[in-house]
Amino acid sequence: MTVIEEAKSWIGTPFIAHAQVKGDGVDCANLIQAIFYNCGKIKKEKLPKYSLDGGVHITKPYVEKFLFNAGFKKFDDLPEPGHVVAFKFGRIPYHLGIVVSDITFIHAIPHAGVIESRLDDSTWQKKINGVYSL
């Protein structure tokens, strides 16, 4: 299964912080890890805990440590299918997704679970803060 096929197979999984079970629950960081691990691209590692209401958040150091340890490198061009994209929303922690086409990405968000969204939507386009590739 390709990374894109694996990502699409997670659509509809509910959002549950710190979870990583297809169909049962996942968060954005664990979704990225599960997709690439299930495709044999990275080793599984224990992700640090974070909170949604304060304390430890998914910050840039958290994101980059996880991605760099897994073998990803920062990509300085436009995101392409198979790349991981990071978003920053002011005070809100970093958010991760995986690009599945020239204009869409898959991610896990509270109250919606794993969904496909448009990169060219103003909610996401202006908030891209990093692109990573293997």
Side-chain angles (χ1 to χ4, degrees):
M1 185 174 284
T2 70
V3 169
I4 305 305
E5 291 168 333
E6 178 66 18
K8 288 182 177 187
S9 76
W10 282 79
I11 291 175
T13 298
F15 180 93
I16 298 177
H18 313 292
Q20 193 182 88
V21 179
K22 189 187 300 185
D24 287 344
V26 71
D27 61 28
C28 69
N30 278 291
L31 176 65
I32 299 305
Q33 179 174 251
I35 289 167
F36 284 93
Y37 174 79
N38 290 348
C39 291
K41 304 286 187 186
I42 65 171
K43 294 181 200 173
K44 194 170 231 176
E45 68 177 79
K46 185 174 169 80
L47 296 177
K49 296 285 187 186
Y50 64 91
S51 64
L52 296 173
D53 58 355
V56 179
H57 290 295
I58 300 178
T59 61
K60 186 171 187 173
Y62 172 100
V63 166
E64 290 195 333
K65 180 180 179 187
F66 157 57
L67 292 171
F68 294 158
N69 283 346
F72 287 86
K73 294 179 175 56
K74 188 115 184 197
F75 188 76
D76 292 325
D77 210 344
L78 294 174
E80 298 175 9
H83 288 170
V84 172
V85 64
F87 302 91
K88 177 75 171 117
F89 291 91
R91 287 182 5 103
I92 297 175
Y94 263 58
H95 179 66
L96 298 173
I98 182 165
V99 180
V100 294
S101 78
D102 291 342
I103 58 168
T104 61
F105 70 105
I106 289 176
H107 56 129
I109 57 174
H111 311 295
V114 179
I115 60 171
E116 190 167 355
S117 297
R118 293 183 61 94
L119 279 168
D120 59 356
D121 180 290
S122 62
T123 302
W124 301 106
Q125 186 178 45
K126 296 177 193 174
K127 311 253 189 292
I128 293 176
N129 194 266
V131 179
Y132 304 86
S133 66
L134 281 176

